[in-house]
Amino acid sequence: EAQVTQNPRYLITVTGKKLTVTCSQNMNHEYMSWYRQDPGLGLRQIYYSMNVEVTDKGDVPEGYKVSRKEKRNFPLILESPSPNQTSLYFCASSTWTSGRHEQYFGPGTRLTVT
Amino acid sequence: GENVEQHPSTLSVQEGDSAVIKCTYSDSASNYFPWYKQELGKRPQLIIDIRSNVGEKKDQRIAVTLNKTAKHFSLHITETQPEDSAVYFCAASSAYGNNRLAFGKGNQVVVIP
């Protein structure tokens, strides 16, 4: 089954404790992204990757890191989480086909930083 | 970069009526415009999309129209049903450069039975 998986699905942590949210896709997509979703602000892109070892900042990259060592995995790293990073996070993968760019979203990770 | 805006932020319709959500975009180089639906507690999912070489696209009860001159595109839902209640996101992207999708802030559609 084609899918994007994220772990963990829920996480409560404390300020300053490093954490990693994993993302994996099995569709051989080149393009992967991380978004955060906050009430009234929609989906804001944090980082994206156009292929292995190619990553770039999105709209809200401060406080986050990513890596793309393998095509299928795109972990999101919070080196020193702060309460303003409490949010719902989505990983997505996609590829361009015939001018279309359908993003397949993971199930989401709800992060609370206290 | 691209800026996408959606209006209205919340839309309530009676079951069976039509709903229309409009989005505007800023970058004239954008050429791909998808709509995503997010049901409560679920992930966003693509429901329909349109490329800039097409003015309208329909899929059963949903349709999207594009006006490149005015830089706006709209989602039309006819004969609304309770299962159409969700948050709808529009987005815009260019096939050139970094292929980023810029999303609007979303519209909450409530279908009243």
Side-chain angles (χ1 to χ4, degrees), chain B residues 68-85:
Chain B
K68 287 193 296 182
T69 303
K71 286 192 281 189
H72 69 72
F73 56 111
S74 300
L75 178 71
H76 305 254
I77 308 173
T78 58
E79 300 172 19
T80 52
Q81 300 170 5
E83 54 264 36
D84 295 328
S85 294

Side-chain angles (χ1 to χ4, degrees), chain A residues 53-107:
Chain A
E53 302 292 0
V54 181
T55 63
D56 207 348
K57 297 177 181 178
D59 301 312
V60 288
E62 293 77 21
Y64 304 95
K65 286 175 58 177
V66 293
S67 68
R68 187 90 182 273
K69 295 184 171 60
E70 306 163 285
K71 198 171 187 179
R72 63 183 294 128
N73 296 323
F74 190 44
L76 179 70
I77 302 154
L78 285 73
E79 295 270 4
S80 183
S82 63
N84 64 12
Q85 292 178 299
T86 292
S87 186
L88 177 60
Y89 291 86
F90 286 102
C91 178
S93 75
S94 59
T95 190
W96 279 94
T97 305
S98 302
R100 298 180 65 232
H101 185 198
E102 179 173 1
Q103 300 238 341
Y104 292 83
F105 285 85

